[in-house]
Amino acid sequence: MLRYTVLRLGIFAGSFLALWGLVYVGVLPRGLGDSNLLWVLVLSIVVSAPLSFVLLRGQRDDMSAEIVEKVDRAKGRLAENRSCEDAS
């Protein structure tokens, strides 16, 4: 889960830097007044969300498989504990 979070933050940071460069060069419009940083942050969130969804699909699938395994083991232990209590 930590790896997924770090990769997602990396995609956001890369998007932020790329968009900041495009705004600095003048390809993208600047924000109104002093809102330039806020504009780039919002735009970075909008751009990085679909990129993360597509690029980190494998990581997300692996993470969900690990969670399912842990939940199944916990359910098995709970069922085992219940059966031991019933036998007593």
Side-chain angles (χ1 to χ4, degrees):
M1 189 174 278
L2 180 64
R3 183 177 180 197
Y4 176 78
T5 303
V6 169
L7 288 173
R8 186 143 188 205
L9 285 172
I11 289 174
F12 173 75
S15 298
F16 179 79
L17 291 175
L19 291 170
W20 184 270
L22 291 174
V23 168
Y24 184 76
V25 171
V27 175
L28 293 175
R30 292 186 184 274
L32 297 174
D34 292 334
S35 67
N36 192 32
L37 178 63
L38 183 62
W39 162 250
V40 176
L41 280 172
V42 170
L43 197 56
S44 297
I45 291 170
V46 169
V47 169
S48 69
L51 283 175
S52 295
F53 184 74
V54 172
L55 296 175
L56 299 179
R57 180 174 293 148
Q59 288 294 119
R60 202 170 39 254
D61 290 343
D62 292 343
M63 186 173 58
S64 67
E66 287 178 21
I67 291 171
V68 166
E69 272 182 35
K70 289 179 183 179
V71 168
D72 287 343
R73 281 188 300 212
K75 283 181 180 179
R77 286 193 306 264
L78 183 62
E80 194 175 299
N81 287 340
R82 285 183 181 167
S83 66
C84 289
E85 289 176 5
D86 291 340
S88 298

